[in-house]
Amino acid sequence: MAENFLIKQETYLEAGIHIGTKLKVVDMNPFIYRIRNDGLYVLDLRKIDERIRMAGKLLAKYEPGEVMVVASRTYSGNAASVFSAVTGIKVFQGRFIPGILTNVARADFMEPKILLICDPRSERQAVTEAGTMGIPIVGLCDSDNITTFVDWVIPCNNKGRRSLALIFYLLAREYLMGKGKIASYDEFQKPLAAFEAEPGEEVAVPEGAAAPAAAEESVKAAVQEEKVEEPSDATAVLHSKTAPIRAEGSNREHLEGQSPKASGKPAEAATPAPSEKAEAPKEEPVAPTEEKHAHAHKKKEE
């Protein structure tokens, strides 16, 4: 039977979805499996799974605007807000103000076609108004909850953070399946950790979902790197045009020293390029002025 569960049985047990309270009301007798040694009532896991499955199919018969979720507790509100983001169903968090479902004069008056409540005790006002208006109710009920006006009971631990997160995770997945927005459970991308996280808390992305994104980023980086490397030749030419004068002079001297065949110009006496290692040209000795005058005087005497 465990093979037909919506999720692995170990996940159910780890979330504590089957752990009730030390109190039990007559309304919840059909869903009690046993009582533990510490006095806690244990709910039937098979019935929990069946009821969540049927609740998802029931909600899928309505459009998102026709469904309303009431979540007065913190843990249920966090998971319900993620459920709302995934499905588009409106969630009312916090204290339920009297008259929202019955007083048409109120600015926040609502008239849903079906109501999902997270705790019949904490949301008693919503249950009473929905029952008065004939609105069907799907309720998350613990072992100590009275089920008056609740049309479809989902037995569960409706106080634990992980338990509520798992319930809304499964309901969201079943709702999208019933609406035909996903063809299989594998297409449901929202991780269970997102339903457990507190508002503003970062959720670790599973490796399977992170791999495609990482591959895409690496491809983008490689393409951008190629684009940067392409204009390297043009950049080299641009740098060569603006090279220092010394380099330009040496290039010119190199061209001037080419043979006539290579340059295509008539042969001219090529001036050798000055070399730093070449010896400096020797200057002709200049005779002192006194020797010149003596030489001239000797010619006159002759």
Side-chain angles (χ1 to χ4, degrees):
M1 188 69 180
E3 297 178 355
N4 297 326
F5 281 173
L6 293 173
I7 202 167
K8 292 181 180 180
Q9 183 175 350
E10 292 77 10
T11 307
Y12 275 135
L13 299 177
E14 290 174 0
I17 195 173
H18 63 300
I19 304 300
T21 65
K22 291 185 177 182
L23 299 176
K24 181 191 70 170
V25 296
V26 178
D27 297 349
M28 295 298 294
N29 269 339
F31 308 108
I32 301 298
Y33 178 67
R34 68 182 181 90
I35 183 171
R36 297 196 323 188
N37 294 332
D38 56 1
L40 290 174
Y41 285 94
V42 178
L43 302 170
D44 192 333
L45 198 57
R46 291 189 181 90
K47 292 184 178 180
I48 293 174
D49 184 85
E50 293 171 1
R51 292 262 164 170
I52 292 177
R53 188 193 305 271
M54 291 302 298
K57 293 180 179 180
L58 176 61
L59 294 175
K61 294 181 179 180
Y62 298 88
E63 295 299 322
E66 298 174 340
V67 184
M68 180 179 174
V69 179
V70 180
S72 59
R73 294 177 180 270
T74 302
Y75 291 155
S76 60
N78 295 340
S81 61
V82 181
F83 172 82
S84 175
V86 173
T87 61
I89 293 175
K90 181 177 178 57
V91 175
F92 188 94
Q93 298 187 47
R95 178 177 175 270
F96 191 86
I97 303 173
I100 291 180
L101 298 179
T102 55
N103 189 356
V104 295
R106 291 185 60 89
D108 55 354
F109 173 75
M110 300 177 187
E111 196 173 5
K113 291 186 177 181
I114 190 168
L115 191 69
L116 172 62
I117 60 169
C118 299
D119 188 348
R121 180 184 290 109
S122 301
E123 291 131 24
R124 185 183 306 169
Q125 183 64 34
V127 173
T128 303
E129 292 189 13
T132 302
M133 301 298 294
I135 301 173
I137 300 174
V138 176
L140 308 182
C141 302
D142 211 331
S143 62
D144 59 347
N145 286 137
I146 298 174
T147 61
T148 305
F149 292 129
V150 178
D151 299 283
W152 188 255
V153 175
I154 300 178
C156 63
N157 173 7
N158 60 7
K159 301 173 183 64
R161 177 175 60 88
R162 297 185 64 186
S163 173
L164 288 165
L166 180 57
I167 292 169
F168 277 105
Y169 169 82
L170 295 174
L171 287 176
R173 195 178 66 178
E174 290 299 309
Y175 183 82
L176 295 182
M177 279 282 291
K179 282 294 182 183
K181 294 184 179 181
I182 58 174
S184 65
Y185 291 157
D186 296 334
E187 296 181 13
F188 188 70
Q189 299 297 326
K190 204 70 172 178
L192 177 58
F195 291 82
E196 297 179 2
E198 298 288 339
E201 181 180 350
E202 295 184 359
V203 179
V205 181
E207 294 181 0
E216 187 177 352
E217 289 296 331
S218 62
V219 171
K220 289 181 180 178
V223 172
Q224 189 172 3
E225 195 172 319
E226 289 179 2
K227 290 181 179 179
V228 172
E229 291 178 356
E230 283 177 2
S232 58
D233 297 337
T235 307
V237 173
L238 182 61
H239 283 305
S240 65
K241 290 182 179 180
T242 59
I245 298 175
R246 181 175 179 180
E248 186 175 340
S250 63
N251 292 336
R252 189 182 297 112
E253 291 166 2
H254 176 70
L255 293 175
E256 289 176 356
Q258 291 179 352
S259 63
K261 293 181 180 180
S263 61
K265 296 181 181 180
E268 296 180 0
T271 306
S275 175
E276 294 180 358
K277 295 183 179 180
E279 295 181 0
K282 295 181 180 180
E283 297 180 359
E284 296 181 1
V286 180
T289 54
E290 293 181 358
E291 292 181 3
K292 290 183 180 180
H293 287 299
H295 184 66
H297 183 67
K298 187 177 182 181
K299 283 185 178 183
K300 285 181 181 182
E301 288 180 354
E302 291 176 355

